[in-house]
């Protein structure tokens, strides 16, 4: 859960969990509320005026990225998914809001170009999204947030505690980058080097929760991230040329940050 100030003495609590679509676990909202209020007194003492305001709920689709580039289908002919509906979410910020805002110029520019030029087939519309290689790479951490029958009850919390401990001991800017979904290639490398030094058993946890297949796709995702960063360093985004094609605009926005 997460708590956010709302105003005065009020605050907003986000209750959430990650799960696989086809799992047999109880995904009911009622069960989630029951667990929260049953354990609330263990870590937070409600005041005398404690009251529940307006419960709201929803489901955010997500995807465990596996590939050198965007593998999520976000469009078909004449239809496009944007924002959380595109499922390009971050496992640490729990939504795709940050990526969507950062890519607002790209999204609006390409949407206008597609509408003006009648580029409404899937092959064009699928290029209009907030996909970012560094965010898709972080999605590998989502695997640690999905509880499974073979895991110990403390597995998810143990993995999160280990990760937070590492962030507390690396330079402050790295944690800020990660939680803002702006992590750089260098910062990611620093974290991955720090993890086994601070927690020698971390690789056992990695293999247990990711498996050989998961580790393979992590390596593929990292290769895609590295390739994108290398191209971006060689490319400096300039101003749009008159009569620039749709494909040229896509490439300009993909590499220029």
């Amino acid at each position: 859960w997460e708590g956010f100030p709302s105003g005065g003495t009020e605050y907003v609590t986000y209750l959430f969990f990650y799960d696989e679509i086809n799992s047999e676990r109880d995904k009911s909202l009622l069960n989630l509320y029951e667990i929260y209020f049953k354990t609330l007194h263990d870590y937070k003492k409600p005041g005398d005026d404690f009251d529940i305001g307006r419960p709201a709920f929803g489901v955010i689709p997500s995807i465990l990225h596996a590939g050198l580039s965007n593998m999520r289908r976000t469009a078909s002919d004449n239809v496009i998914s944007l924002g959380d509906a595109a499922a390009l979410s971050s496992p640490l910020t729990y939504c795709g809001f940050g990526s969507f805002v950062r890519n607002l110029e790209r999204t609006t520019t390409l949407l206008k170009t597609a509408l003006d030029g009648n580029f409404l087939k899937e092959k064009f519309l699928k290029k209009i999204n907030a996909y970012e290689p560094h965010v898709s790479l972080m999605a590998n951490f989502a695997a640690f947030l999905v509880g499974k029958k073979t895991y110990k009850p403390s597995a998810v919390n143990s993995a999160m505690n280990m990760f937070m401990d590492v962030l507390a001991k690396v330079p402050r800017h790295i944690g800020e980058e990660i939680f803002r979904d702006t992590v750089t290639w260098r910062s990611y490398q620093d974290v991955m080097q720090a993890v086994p030094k601070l927690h020698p058993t971390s690789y056992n946890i990695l293999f247990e929760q990711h498996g050989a297949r998961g580790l393979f796709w992590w390596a593929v995702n990292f290769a895609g991230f590295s390739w994108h960063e290398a191209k971006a360093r060689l490319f400096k985004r300039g101003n749009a040329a008159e009569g620039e094609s749709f494909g040229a605009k896509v490439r300009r926005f993909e590499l220029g940050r």
Side-chain angles (χ1 to χ4, degrees):
W1 68 275
E2 289 182 326
F4 301 92
S6 177
T9 59
E10 298 180 349
Y11 71 96
V12 176
T13 299
Y14 279 3
L15 298 173
F16 55 86
F17 64 95
Y18 280 86
D19 201 359
E20 297 168 331
I21 294 175
N22 298 322
S23 77
E24 298 178 354
R25 285 177 290 276
D26 185 353
K27 300 180 178 64
S28 70
L29 183 66
L30 180 60
N31 182 61
L32 182 63
Y33 279 165
E34 286 182 343
I35 293 173
Y36 173 70
F37 288 112
K38 182 179 179 180
T39 59
L40 177 63
H41 294 268
D42 293 341
Y43 54 83
K44 191 175 185 68
K45 183 178 180 180
D48 295 335
D49 298 327
F50 175 75
D51 188 26
I52 301 172
R54 182 174 62 88
F57 61 92
V59 175
I60 298 178
S62 187
I63 183 174
L64 286 175
H65 183 76
L68 292 173
S69 58
N70 183 20
M71 304 301 293
R72 172 67 179 173
R73 185 183 181 189
T74 57
S76 60
D77 292 351
N78 303 305
V79 178
I80 185 171
S81 297
L82 297 173
D84 286 340
L88 299 173
S89 57
S90 163
L92 297 178
T93 54
Y94 311 108
C95 63
F97 179 76
S99 293
F100 187 70
V101 171
R102 283 193 300 274
N103 286 276
L104 195 57
E105 180 188 0
R106 167 186 175 177
T107 302
T108 54
T109 299
L110 294 180
L111 271 176
K112 185 179 186 304
T113 302
L115 292 171
D116 291 345
N118 199 34
F119 299 114
L120 304 180
K121 294 293 185 181
E122 180 180 347
K123 66 178 181 179
F124 298 112
L125 294 182
K126 70 179 183 180
K127 300 292 185 180
I128 307 175
N129 57 61
Y131 168 75
E132 295 178 306
H134 59 284
V135 175
S136 65
L137 180 65
M138 294 301 295
N140 286 273
F141 286 110
F144 293 106
L145 304 178
V146 179
K148 296 183 179 180
K149 290 183 177 180
T150 56
Y151 293 176
K152 297 178 181 178
S154 61
V156 172
N157 283 342
S158 296
M160 286 296 292
N161 289 339
M162 179 183 70
F163 184 61
M164 295 304 169
D165 179 61
V166 171
L167 291 186
K169 294 175 181 176
V170 296
R172 181 183 177 87
H173 73 89
I174 295 179
E176 293 175 348
E177 289 176 15
I178 288 177
F179 284 107
R180 292 173 182 169
D181 285 337
T182 59
V183 65
T184 63
W185 189 89
R186 181 69 266 172
S187 293
Y188 187 83
Q189 281 286 87
D190 290 342
V191 169
M192 296 308 295
Q193 291 173 9
V195 169
K197 292 179 181 178
L198 297 172
H199 297 273
T201 62
S202 59
Y203 282 122
N204 293 334
I205 297 175
L206 276 172
F207 191 80
E208 287 175 2
Q209 297 187 233
H210 270 288
R213 184 174 183 274
L215 291 176
F216 168 78
W217 284 117
W218 171 85
V220 173
N221 292 342
F222 181 69
F225 177 38
S226 301
W227 174 237
H228 179 273
E229 289 294 296
K231 290 191 296 182
R233 291 175 184 176
L234 297 174
F235 180 91
K236 184 177 181 180
R237 193 174 86 187
N239 296 324
E242 185 176 352
E244 184 180 36
S245 68
F246 181 84
K249 286 185 178 181
V250 170
R251 288 189 293 273
R252 179 162 57 84
F253 279 105
E254 284 180 343
L255 296 178
R257 299 197 310 189

